[in-house]
């Protein structure tokens, strides 16, 4: 399998190159050149999610240097359950929050971390992954790369602009993961990362790479969620479930569409968004427009110009074609609050603000229609105690892995929002002598 750029379709590269480049040289995003044909029978004998992942991803690594290691990469990527839980009224919840940082981004980050560590085994210098984060991505990337050989991570986050629990998750790492608090906002952090990539001294002293959510290495493994869940449903009901995915940058929802393109038994796919309107606006009008980002209760979905729109429009080249492939519905903060409040009584479940958007969309459909629905739960409610606990009226228990990271939290350097200030901290820790110990 080769990967091509959305902007120059005859620019084709191997999976390893796509993973290491992140973005194509022409600024486009990498997409697979075709989808393999894998109906439910292709998965006979695949019972665990690791086995399903290996079967599904096999054609996507075919011909690449990583192909031989695929079984180990799939093992390393999970190691935690992905329950599909029936909650009544033709509805199930797919819980994607049992990984180390309690949100769905763990699986993509772990696939990428394991792959990049393998690709750099022979390198004479470690690869340094530089990430700016507004919360969840940084924690997932830090956790995934922690203690991996041949790779180092520098995470920049805006001091005072992430939640208390998110901050403790970002600062619970050591060894090859360095966290720096920047006195600024998320956009400052993102700007610093861009500047570092353009700065010769950074490029000379470190082999820089990124682990953005636009990396195809974060998207492909997320298909396995939908393969596993739809097969489970197919095997017990013999039907194709409809799926509702809480969406912001559209990577998770796109992975669901990719899985269906591969032949998995998935019915309608609906992207639930918060009040940010780029997707619903495009489907309604046929004109793509980026909007200014609006802050909502589902913060990880606050995206005004989702990067994966470029992939969607590559595969489905008109709004009409895309409308046939997927639906999208907007959910307001009031609706999110209402679903959080009534979750325990109506569905016997404490939702998080992101998942609540999918619940709202489910309830727009006739509860007694005969289709079966899968709601995707993207985060554990304990990650958002301030938004959730007052509405459900009690504390939410913190899952074990999340508690472990937070318990390791320690003070990290705090710097002004300038590249020099970041460099002082980052390079101080990377003198040649100190590197020999890592
Ligand atoms: C990142 C994230 C989303 C949005 O996923 P996309 O792939 O960007 O659409 C939804 N919920 C949670 C909890 C997230 O962390």
């Amino acid at each position: 399998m080769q990967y091509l750029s959305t902007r120059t379709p005859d620019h084709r590269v191997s999976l390893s190159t796509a993973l290491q480049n992140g973005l194509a040289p022409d600024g486009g995003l990498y997409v697979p050149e075709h989808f393999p044909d894998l109906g439910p029978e292709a998965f006979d004998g695949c019972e665990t999610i690791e086995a399903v992942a290996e079967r599904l991803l096999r054609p996507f690594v075919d011909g690449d240097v990583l192909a031989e290691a695929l079984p180990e990469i799939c093992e390393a990527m999970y190691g935690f359950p992905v329950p599909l839980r029936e909650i009544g009224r033709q509805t199930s919840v797919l819980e994607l929050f049992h990984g180390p940082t309690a949100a769905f981004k763990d699986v993509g980050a772990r696939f990428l971390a394991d792959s990049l560590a393998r690709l750099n085994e022979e390198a004479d210098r470690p690869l340094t992954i530089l990430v700016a984060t507004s919360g969840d991505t940084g924690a997932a990337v830090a956790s995934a790369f922690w203690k991996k050989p041949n790779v180092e991570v520098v995470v920049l986050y805006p001091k005072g602009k992430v939640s208390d629990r998110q901050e403790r998750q970002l600062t619970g790492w050591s060894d090859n993961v360095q966290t720096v608090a920047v006195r600024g906002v998320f956009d400052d952090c993102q700007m610093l990362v861009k500047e570092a990539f353009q700065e010769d001294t950074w490029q000379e002293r470190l082999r820089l790479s990124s682990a953005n959510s636009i990396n195809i290495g974060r998207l492909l493994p997320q298909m396995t969620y939908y393969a596993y869940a739809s097969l489970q449903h197919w095997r017990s009901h013999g039907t194709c479930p409809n799926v509702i995915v809480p969406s912001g940058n559209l990577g998770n929802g796109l992975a669901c569409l990719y899985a269906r393109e591969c032949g998995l038994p998935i019915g309608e796919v609906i992207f639930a968004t918060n009040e940010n309107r780029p997707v619903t606006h495009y489907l309604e009008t046929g004109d793509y427009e980026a909007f200014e980002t609006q802050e909502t209760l589902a913060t990880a979905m606050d995206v005004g110009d989702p990067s994966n729109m470029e992939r969607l429009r590559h595969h489905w080249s008109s709004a009409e074609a895309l409308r046939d492939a997927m639906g999208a519905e907007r959910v307001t903060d009031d609706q999110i609050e209402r679903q959080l409040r009534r979750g325990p009584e109506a569905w016997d479940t404490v939702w998080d603000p992101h998942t609540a958007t999918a619940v709202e969309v489910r309830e727009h459909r006739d509860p007694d229609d005969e289709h079966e629905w899968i709601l995707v739960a993207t985060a554990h409610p304990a990650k958002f105690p301030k938004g959730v606990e007052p509405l459900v009226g009690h504390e939410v228990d913190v899952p074990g892995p999340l508690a472990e990271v937070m318990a390791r939290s320690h003070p990290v350097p705090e710097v002004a929002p300038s590249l020099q200030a970041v460099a002082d901290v980052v390079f101080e820790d990377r003198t040649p002598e100190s590197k020999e110990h890592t």
Side-chain angles (χ1 to χ4, degrees):
M1 173 85 71
Q2 298 276 98
Y3 292 80
L4 47 91
S5 163
T6 46
R7 298 195 188 169
T8 320
D10 51 9
H11 169 82
R12 284 183 154 70
V13 299
S14 68
L15 177 64
S16 302
T17 305
L19 296 183
Q20 303 205 75
N21 286 359
L23 210 60
D26 60 6
L29 306 186
Y30 288 112
V31 292
E33 62 177 347
H34 68 267
F35 293 99
D37 186 7
L38 297 168
E41 331 57 59
F43 294 86
D44 284 351
C46 299
E47 298 300 327
T48 62
I49 196 162
E50 290 85 354
V52 169
E54 191 186 330
R55 183 72 194 87
L56 176 63
L57 294 176
R58 173 63 60 199
F60 290 91
V61 299
D62 194 30
D64 193 78
V65 291
L66 287 170
E68 208 176 312
L70 184 64
E72 291 147 57
I73 295 174
C74 290
E75 286 295 325
M77 169 166 123
Y78 283 101
F80 47 85
V82 180
L84 180 65
R85 195 164 60 79
E86 298 203 7
I87 55 171
R89 286 177 274 160
Q90 325 274 57
T91 308
S92 308
V93 192
L94 180 61
E95 295 183 352
L96 303 185
F97 53 69
H98 294 275
T101 69
F104 80 84
K105 293 188 175 73
D106 282 323
V107 158
R110 284 155 72 95
F111 176 92
L112 188 61
D114 207 61
S115 300
L116 290 181
R118 284 170 195 279
L119 293 173
N120 284 282
E121 255 163 29
E122 313 274 289
D124 53 357
R125 294 195 297 163
L127 191 70
T128 300
I129 311 287
L130 191 56
V131 255
T133 185
S134 56
D136 285 346
T137 299
V141 169
S143 159
F145 283 84
W146 191 40
K147 298 195 174 178
K148 288 261 181 232
N150 319 314
V151 277
E152 296 181 348
V153 175
V154 177
V155 181
L156 306 183
Y157 77 95
K159 181 73 191 168
K161 300 289 189 294
V162 302
S163 80
D164 207 35
R165 283 196 181 161
Q166 280 177 323
E167 177 160 42
R168 284 168 62 198
Q169 265 191 296
L170 287 167
T171 55
W173 313 100
S174 51
D175 303 295
N176 65 330
V177 176
Q178 185 177 26
T179 306
V180 181
V182 175
R183 286 187 219 108
V185 295
F186 171 63
D187 286 329
D188 295 319
C189 298
Q190 210 162 22
M191 190 87 77
L192 290 168
V193 168
K194 278 197 192 134
E195 278 177 36
F197 271 89
Q198 288 157 4
E199 188 72 40
D200 290 343
T201 46
W202 279 72
Q203 291 286 7
E204 277 158 25
R205 297 194 57 176
L206 307 172
R207 289 177 55 227
L208 284 184
S209 184
S210 72
N212 294 342
S213 56
I214 46 121
N215 195 306
I216 189 76
R218 304 230 348 232
L219 195 55
L220 297 176
Q222 287 169 8
M223 293 188 299
T224 65
Y225 289 142
Y226 301 103
Y228 179 66
S230 65
L231 284 168
Q232 213 171 310
H233 187 94
W234 176 262
R235 287 167 183 169
S236 56
H237 299 80
T239 53
C240 300
N242 296 340
V243 184
I244 307 175
V245 189
S247 295
N249 213 20
L250 318 180
N252 203 12
L254 179 58
C256 183
L257 296 178
Y258 274 12
R260 193 178 61 190
E261 288 301 305
C262 295
L264 282 143
I266 296 167
E268 266 184 77
V269 177
I270 304 196
F271 290 31
T273 74
N274 58 23
E275 291 177 53
N276 287 279
R277 59 176 69 234
V279 193
T280 45
H281 180 266
Y282 175 65
L283 289 181
E284 281 158 20
T285 64
D287 293 317
Y288 183 70
E289 220 181 290
F291 288 80
E292 200 170 316
T293 303
Q294 214 171 314
E295 289 185 18
T296 74
L297 292 172
T299 49
M301 291 157 50
D302 291 348
V303 184
D305 186 11
S307 24
N308 280 302
M309 200 70 210
E310 183 160 337
R311 284 194 173 106
L312 283 170
R313 295 178 71 189
H314 170 86
H315 296 293
W316 292 276
S317 51
S318 68
E320 197 182 358
L322 192 57
R323 267 197 297 271
D324 284 342
M326 60 170 277
E329 284 183 40
R330 264 172 81 224
V331 174
T332 64
D333 269 1
D334 284 346
Q335 290 170 320
I336 290 176
E337 280 197 350
R338 179 168 159 271
Q339 292 300 348
L340 290 174
R341 196 177 289 119
R342 66 193 289 277
E345 202 193 328
W347 297 99
D348 199 18
T349 303
V350 175
W351 306 115
D352 90 284
H354 306 83
T355 308
T357 63
V359 184
E360 175 70 22
V361 170
R362 169 70 186 100
E363 293 190 5
H364 293 171
R365 302 298 167 113
D366 179 354
D368 299 320
D369 89 2
E370 46 202 65
H371 276 105
E372 306 272 342
W373 292 81
I374 292 179
L375 311 182
V376 176
T378 50
H380 192 286
K383 289 193 89 166
F384 309 94
K386 282 209 184 93
V388 173
E389 289 176 354
L391 296 172
V392 298
H394 60 80
E395 279 184 24
V396 181
D397 288 340
V398 178
L402 191 56
E404 266 173 48
V405 185
M406 296 200 305
R408 286 196 306 262
S409 167
H410 55 83
V412 301
E414 194 182 311
V415 302
S418 82
L419 193 59
Q420 188 53 52
V422 178
D424 287 347
V425 171
V426 169
F427 294 134
E428 183 191 16
D429 264 27
R430 278 176 180 67
T431 54
E433 308 85 73
S434 75
K435 207 153 55 184
E436 274 163 23
H437 303 290
T438 58

